[in-house]
Structure formats: structure tokens, C-alpha cells
Amino acid sequence: MEIKICRANSLKGEVEVPGDKSISHRAVMLGALAEGITEIKGFLSGEDCLSTVKCFRQLGVKIEELGKNHLKVYGVGLNGFTEPEDVLDAGNSGTTMRLLLGILSGQKFYSVITGDASLRKRPMDRVIKPLKMMGAQIRARNKDSLAPVSILGHDAAVLKPIEYETPVASAQVKSALLLAGLFCEGTTVISEKVKTRDHTERMLKAFGADIEIKDEGRRILLKGPSHLRGREVKVPGDISSASFFIVAGCLVPGSEIIISNVGVNSTRTGILDILSSMGADIKLFNKRILCGEPVADIAVKHSSLKAVEIGGEIIPRVIDEIPVLAVAACRAYGTTVIRDAAELRYKETDRIGIIAAELRKMGARIKEMDDGFIIEGPVSLKGASLNSHGDHRIAMALAVAGLTAEGETIIKDAQCAAISFPNFYETLWELMEISGGK
Ligand code: S3P
């Protein structure tokens, strides 16, 4: 599907964004691993999370859809899964594949997991290596680094706990090892040099796991075997999805937007801190805690932005928002430098290469570095014919760029936004219609 975007007059109104993707995946997984029922409200019915649901159904877990974003998961306990009759398919979802590898490593049966062409190029050795250290029997393509991955299963509980410091800042690696740790006799200890999103730790605690957090969240101790109890999970809106409207609100003159019910866990709010330091007018109100996760409503008004330099510890807190941050940088006064973000090259696409190439087609002045960009601004972007390369966050970031550009912007392969944000374009039209634009 191609989408056409024109310059917006202003964006006005109050919108909600769909449920948090990371939390939705984890709610299904922990719900399946738990004993008893887990009801999930505000579940993200995007393609990635639906891949997780499908995999667990193939593993014998009953999951009912009570409403559009409302699931009931009948937990089977740590050892109640059944051998899947066919290959599990994680689709485009790295979270599904990596976290499932942790769970499948603890099972007695044989299983194989694969994904789409993008996922089959992404590194799986970062989870396979430490899982093998725990005793998992795993084989994969390209010297055990690429999907499809097969997990051989074992007769008895052979997984052993490890103490492991993750060499890359990755919540998926940390989470996969913690999930494998549920099956071990003894304490699994995972440390991170830089703290990454902590939804797994928070949710494991809420489900009754024996988990201890130390060193300001950078060291996690999980005592196994740890049995979980099903519970209700209310999923807040995804700040990564909200970010497209937050940046659009900053950039389009006359805009005033409220995005309600957004998760503002501090491991995810790098985008708010960076935009604020660029001079954005962003206010959080109605702060509350929902099922152990901080939530707020976010108000954004148009303002002029100035360039900043970012790198180091903030990167994991903003990693998924860097494509849209690059769009903001094109409109900011001065030279924006984004460093230490080489991980972007291993996402759904090489996001450094792709965003630089696509924004250049609009006249952006971006220099690509191995681990980030240098962006000169402000530039008056021009409408162009662009390609998302099937990457949901690139599609939505380019749509935001199109709102500020002179003339018409065409985005090819724009439907991939549904991977994380099924109604993205409709929500955008809603904000434009109130102001009379489009
Ligand atoms: C995620 C962790 C991050 C993030 C991804 C979701 C998660 O990936 O980019 O969109 O839910 O744990 P990495 O673990 O590869 O950094």
C-alpha cells in the first residue's frame, strides 16, 4: 500500500495510542507460563504481538479474544506446554523470537522457530550463546546465529543458572535469560552495563516470581524454579507509538495535541528528555501507576527546536524513537549529533542507513556514521517518493517528515505501520481533520 501525505496546517485534538508492544508480548508470555488465568486489557492487536499469540496457541495455550484489545490467557504453568506440530513463526518480531527462545530452552520437546525475511537476518546468537551456557541444546543457521532456530529439548530439567553480563544493551537478551532462569534450580544473575527497559522484571514481580533488583536496576537476581500466578494486566499506551505524534506536534506550527494514557516508564522516556532539551513544549499530567507501570497523559505544543548531541546511557531509553528523532533534527537549529546507536543497524532494517537515505531524498542534510548521524538543520524538507522498506517505524517517521514538507510525499509499503500501530494513519487524519488540514 502507498500512502500520500501533504503538509499539515496544524495538528489538534486528543488521541490515544495502542497498547505498549513490549508489555503486550510479555503479558501473553507470562500469562501462558503462569498457573491460572491472566486477563489482558489494552493489548496491542498489532501484527508483532499477534505473532506471539499464535506461537503460544501452537504450544497448546488457550487464548480467547474477549474484545478487540482484551485477551484471556489460560496459563499452563512452566511445564504445561505441548510440542508444536509445525514450525513456530515469529513473523517480523524480534521480541517474540528472542524471548520465546528463553522459554523453549526450558522445555522437554523439540521445536523450531523462524520469522520473515527481515527477522531471518537479525542476530540470534546474542541469546543462543548464553542459553547454551545454561545448558540449552540449540542449533541455528549460520553457525548458530540466524533463524530458523531449532531447540532440541531434554528429558529432565537440565538448565543451570548462570551469572551473565550482557555484552550488548538489549532488553530482549536480558528477558530471554530471565525467562530461562524460571526453569533453573538456583539463582540466575543478569547484569547490564547500561540499564534497558525493565518491563520483564516488573511483570515477573507482579506475577509472583522470586526476583530481586540491585544496582539501580542493572543487576537482576531470579531464583528458580519460580512459579507464576495469573493476574489482570492493564497495558498502557505505547510511548514509542506516541512519539510520532509528539514529534509531529513539536514540528507542525499551531499544533496542540494531547495523547492520553501513555506508559512513561523511565527506561523508555529518553525521547521526552531529549525533545525537552531541544526546547520542545511537552507536559506530563495525570501521572499514575497502572499494574506496576508509570502512566501519564502527554500534552505537546508546537515550538522551535534547537540541535543537541546525544549518546551514551540515554541511547537504550530512546533506541526505537531515533528514526523520528532524526526527522525532528532536520527541523532543529544547529547540528544534531547522535552517537553510540550502532544497535539501530540490527533492527527490522538497518535504520541508520535507511532513514538517512530516505530523508536525503527530501533534501535533509544527514551524514551517516557507523553508530549514528550528524544532521544539519533547519532544512525545509521537500515532498518525495519514499520507501519504508517494510519497517514500521521508518514508515511512521517518514509520514511525520511528510507533514512538514513542501508538496506531496508518497510512502511505499506504508501498511507495515500495522506491525506496531494498526490505526496509525487514521489517528493522524483525525488530528489533521480537527484543524481542517489533510
Ligand atoms: C524490545 C527491546 C528492544 C527494542 C524492541 C523491543 C523489547 O530491542 O528495540 O523494539 O520488547 O524487549 P533490543 O533488546 O534488541 O535492544
Side-chain angles (χ1 to χ4, degrees):
M1 170 186 107
E2 267 186 14
I3 202 120
K4 188 165 81 182
I5 309 268
C6 292
R7 175 177 265 170
N9 291 332
S10 68
L11 301 173
K12 286 209 167 112
E14 180 166 349
V15 289
E16 280 204 34
V17 290
D20 186 279
K21 184 153 80 73
S22 295
I23 297 177
S24 295
H25 281 298
R26 286 157 171 82
V28 173
M29 293 184 183
L30 295 202
L33 284 162
E35 279 145 31
I37 287 172
T38 291
E39 257 193 61
I40 311 172
K41 294 180 178 157
F43 175 76
L44 166 62
S45 297
E47 289 163 23
D48 268 10
C49 297
L50 294 175
S51 293
T52 292
V53 168
K54 200 166 156 227
C55 288
F56 278 91
R57 283 186 173 142
Q58 277 182 266
L59 289 163
V61 180
K62 183 174 163 193
I63 303 176
E64 279 175 2
E65 262 176 71
L66 301 182
K68 199 166 156 279
N69 303 313
H70 187 176
L71 297 185
K72 195 169 180 179
V73 182
Y74 293 78
V76 295
L78 295 183
N79 301 308
F81 298 107
T82 52
E83 183 171 280
E85 284 174 17
D86 204 346
V87 172
L88 301 168
D89 185 359
N92 192 243
S93 172
T95 309
T96 306
M97 182 170 288
R98 296 200 177 109
L99 271 58
L100 246 180
L101 285 174
I103 296 172
L104 294 173
S105 294
Q107 304 303 319
K108 296 194 169 87
F109 50 75
Y110 175 72
S111 52
V112 180
I113 183 161
T114 191
D116 69 8
S118 152
L119 190 54
R120 279 183 274 116
K121 286 192 203 117
R122 296 179 65 188
M124 292 302 139
D125 42 340
R126 53 180 63 190
V127 281
I128 293 175
K129 264 191 203 155
L131 286 171
K132 278 184 169 176
M133 287 162 63
M134 295 175 88
Q137 299 242 40
I138 303 184
R139 300 284 179 277
R141 210 160 52 81
N142 196 42
K143 301 198 180 102
D144 292 343
S145 69
L146 298 177
V149 184
S150 51
I151 303 97
L152 304 189
H154 42 77
D155 287 336
V158 292
L159 284 196
K160 347 177 246 305
I162 49 168
E163 283 206 21
Y164 189 72
E165 183 176 283
T166 53
V168 277
S170 163
Q172 292 176 356
V173 174
K174 169 175 69 175
S175 303
L177 301 180
L178 289 173
L179 293 176
L182 290 173
F183 298 89
C184 297
E185 192 89 44
T187 304
T188 297
V189 184
I190 310 296
S191 335
E192 301 187 288
K193 286 189 211 74
V194 180
K195 186 172 168 171
T196 61
R197 64 190 68 191
D198 63 357
H199 306 299
T200 304
E201 297 91 301
R202 285 173 190 254
M203 208 183 283
L204 278 171
K205 196 170 228 169
F207 274 74
D210 191 342
I211 186 167
E212 210 184 323
I213 314 291
K214 292 194 166 162
D215 296 347
E216 289 161 354
R218 287 195 303 273
R219 194 171 153 83
I220 304 123
L221 293 85
L222 179 92
K223 202 160 160 205
S226 201
H227 293 275
L228 310 178
R229 284 184 307 278
R231 53 162 291 155
E232 184 184 64
V233 180
K234 288 184 181 155
V235 183
D238 196 324
I239 189 160
S240 298
S241 299
S243 295
F244 300 105
F245 301 127
I246 295 173
V247 170
C250 292
L251 297 185
V252 176
S255 295
E256 278 187 45
I257 305 177
I258 292 176
I259 308 148
S260 41
N261 195 38
V262 184
V264 289
N265 178 319
S266 62
T267 59
R268 300 283 301 281
T269 48
I271 186 72
L272 302 181
D273 297 344
I274 293 166
L275 288 171
S276 298
S277 70
M278 294 171 85
D281 184 347
I282 299 175
K283 287 193 180 71
L284 266 58
F285 58 103
N286 242 334
K287 287 190 193 166
R288 55 208 185 267
I289 299 286
L290 191 65
C291 292
E293 290 279 352
V295 177
D297 299 339
I298 301 178
V300 190
K301 285 188 189 156
H302 166 258
S303 60
S304 127
L305 299 181
K306 57 179 194 295
V308 283
E309 295 201 6
I310 63 159
E313 299 222 339
I314 198 159
I315 295 298
R317 298 178 55 227
V318 67
I319 191 76
D320 291 341
E321 290 67 68
I322 290 178
V324 77
L325 184 61
V327 175
C330 291
R331 302 289 304 135
Y333 286 80
T335 306
T336 297
V337 183
I338 302 174
R339 286 199 185 85
D340 302 324
E343 268 296 304
L344 282 177
R345 296 204 183 268
Y346 306 102
K347 297 292 176 189
E348 285 80 335
T349 57
D350 166 2
R351 286 184 175 157
I352 295 181
I354 300 281
I355 199 77
E358 296 303 314
L359 288 177
R360 251 184 236 128
K361 292 181 190 165
M362 304 180 86
R365 287 158 61 200
I366 301 196
K367 187 167 170 266
E368 195 181 317
M369 299 186 286
D370 288 346
D371 65 345
F373 318 92
I374 299 174
I375 304 175
E376 304 285 347
V379 161
S380 300
L381 296 176
K382 290 181 188 57
S385 183
L386 307 175
N387 192 336
S388 74
H389 296 264
D391 184 329
H392 54 129
R393 300 205 197 279
I394 299 283
M396 293 185 274
L398 295 177
V400 173
L403 294 176
T404 71
E406 191 186 302
E408 224 173 67
T409 297
I410 309 282
I411 303 170
K412 282 193 205 110
D413 228 346
Q415 75 288 347
C416 61
I419 287 170
S420 61
F421 198 153
N423 292 319
F424 172 72
Y425 300 104
E426 289 81 353
T427 312
L428 187 56
W429 304 154
E430 225 180 275
L431 288 168
M432 290 171 86
E433 255 159 21
I434 293 172
S435 67
K438 203 165 184 181

